[in-house]
Amino acid sequence: FDRGWSWIGRKRDISDQEWGVWLALINRLIPCIFIHHFFSQIIKVNCNIMILCSWYILSSTAFLYYYMGSLSALCILLQPSFLHIITYKCSKHAAWLIHVSFLFVIHILKIPNGTFQSLLGLDDEQHYILTLTMCWIHLRSISHNMDSIDKKVLHSNSFIEKLAYCLYLPTLFSGPLILYQEFVESVCMIFTIHRYWNCQKLQAFVLNLIRYIFWLYFTEFLLHFIYVNAIQYHPQVAQNLNPWALYGLGYCMGQFFLNKYVVIYGISKTLCNLDDVKAPLPPKCIARIHLYSDMWKYFDRGLYKFLIK
């Protein structure tokens, strides 16, 4: 717990590591995101797709260097590069074997206070963000690799486009997962249709941003009263609840999980929309899902599309 908002006078539940780290990260990311979008718009008006992809790589690398240092930025750059080299001419089965093997490497690297963290000189928050980013990049590398093997995207072996896709700043740290085919189609469409900023687009951006910021603060407000994450450290409290209170607690845990990803994915999608990159819709409210088979289909739509490919 922390002291919470002073005007409420109650402690706030800060037990969810992902939520806390994301809030701290987004505060640092805000100015870089707007610089990213501003120069992206200039490039779209005056340049071509390769310059735009190069800018995507540069802007993300610059933020990684600023936030985690040169070694971490280099590590992030090397991961998709290395995977691209060793899977460039592989069959699908060999590629899957390589990707699954690399997951075990990431699992070892994410060990807290381990050699990897010490070598890079990262604190716990930076180490968490780095390994989380590596997981997202790995998913994108798989998406690129499978589309390349299936020849679903023209020039799908373009290394610059792949690196831009893996390092795209609005989704770099937290998703949602955009399939490689959809990312390339979105970027190519920008130069075909010439969709530039206008009052309507900026108005939609501001309204959606206000919408998701409201849910962010609403979720933070609720964490002063409903300690759905902290209760995992106090199981005796749950044991003493009557059935109705226990059912309510269970629902609130699901609702917090939903709110968290509505905010994270919603803000990412809003930023992608401003950049004319097609991103999956935010999660559907769990109270409106009546079949568990529909849960991931409508909750994490990008991951669902990835899994059924």
Side-chain angles (χ1 to χ4, degrees):
F1 296 95
D2 69 2
R3 296 179 62 183
W5 297 344
S6 58
W7 60 275
I8 294 180
R10 291 178 61 94
K11 291 183 178 180
R12 180 180 55 166
D13 183 353
I14 57 169
S15 304
D16 189 280
Q17 183 185 19
E18 184 180 22
W19 180 248
V21 168
W22 183 82
L23 289 176
L25 174 67
I26 202 69
N27 286 328
R28 296 192 178 194
L29 194 56
I30 287 171
C32 298
I33 281 287
F34 282 102
I35 293 171
H36 164 93
H37 278 72
F38 178 75
F39 283 101
S40 294
Q41 185 66 18
I42 294 174
I43 291 169
K44 290 171 192 175
V45 174
N46 299 293
C47 302
N48 57 40
I49 188 171
M50 294 309 293
I51 301 297
L52 181 63
C53 288
S54 299
W55 166 246
Y56 286 163
I57 297 167
L58 178 63
S59 61
S60 296
T61 305
F63 179 77
L64 288 166
Y65 174 77
Y66 156 73
Y67 182 61
M68 289 187 282
S70 56
L71 287 178
S72 298
L74 182 62
C75 181
I76 291 295
L77 284 170
L78 287 177
Q79 181 191 353
S81 305
F82 176 71
L83 288 170
H84 182 79
I85 292 169
I86 63 175
T87 61
Y88 184 70
K89 292 295 184 181
C90 284
S91 66
K92 184 174 284 190
H93 289 94
W96 272 115
L97 182 62
I98 291 168
H99 287 301
V100 171
S101 301
F102 199 83
L103 283 175
F104 286 101
V105 175
I106 295 176
H107 181 72
I108 294 170
L109 296 180
K110 69 184 289 189
I111 297 173
N113 302 313
T115 305
F116 180 66
Q117 182 178 351
S118 302
L119 183 65
L120 297 181
L122 303 175
D123 59 31
D124 291 341
E125 179 184 309
Q126 291 171 328
H127 178 246
Y128 177 84
I129 288 291
L130 177 62
T131 52
L132 180 65
T133 304
M134 291 177 71
C135 292
W136 279 111
I137 287 176
H138 195 64
L139 265 178
R140 297 183 193 111
S141 293
I142 295 173
S143 177
H144 167 268
N145 202 194
M146 295 303 112
D147 282 349
S148 299
I149 292 171
D150 295 336
K151 306 296 182 185
K152 290 185 177 180
V153 181
L154 190 64
H155 307 305
S156 58
N157 280 324
S158 168
F159 177 68
I160 297 297
E161 287 182 8
K162 186 231 173 129
L163 207 55
Y165 165 65
C166 288
L167 299 179
Y168 183 59
L169 191 57
T171 59
L172 177 60
F173 301 102
S174 57
L177 178 64
I178 304 171
L179 300 182
Y180 178 71
Q181 181 182 1
E182 294 178 351
F183 177 82
V184 172
E185 288 173 355
S186 297
V187 173
C188 291
M189 193 70 70
I190 293 168
F191 293 94
T192 304
I193 301 180
H194 301 292
R195 297 174 179 170
Y196 304 133
W197 287 354
N198 52 42
C199 290
Q200 184 179 1
K201 178 177 285 190
L202 292 174
Q203 182 183 29
F205 168 74
V206 171
L207 289 175
N208 279 319
L209 203 58
I210 291 171
R211 171 189 172 193
Y212 293 116
I213 289 174
F214 165 78
W215 285 115
L216 187 157
Y217 280 102
F218 182 74
T219 303
E220 283 285 280
F221 174 78
L222 289 182
L223 288 175
H224 289 78
F225 299 93
I226 306 173
Y227 302 141
V228 292
N229 300 305
I231 203 166
Q232 64 183 302
Y233 301 107
H234 305 278
Q236 69 279 4
V237 175
Q239 292 173 356
N240 296 326
L241 295 177
N242 64 61
W244 281 106
L246 193 61
Y247 304 152
L249 176 65
Y251 176 78
C252 288
M253 293 174 73
Q255 192 65 46
F256 170 77
F257 189 74
L258 168 73
N259 284 16
K260 177 170 68 172
Y261 280 98
V262 163
V263 172
I264 294 174
Y265 283 3
I267 289 178
S268 294
K269 177 174 173 55
T270 300
L271 294 170
C272 289
N273 287 346
L274 187 63
D275 216 11
D276 293 308
V277 173
K278 183 182 178 182
L281 292 170
K284 184 177 179 180
C285 180
I286 59 171
R288 296 170 53 215
I289 297 176
H290 306 292
L291 295 174
Y292 199 78
S293 58
D294 288 342
M295 179 61 77
W296 286 108
K297 183 177 181 180
Y298 296 112
F299 193 92
D300 195 328
R301 302 169 198 252
L303 182 60
Y304 175 78
K305 290 168 72 174
F306 171 82
L307 292 173
I308 63 173
K309 285 192 70 174

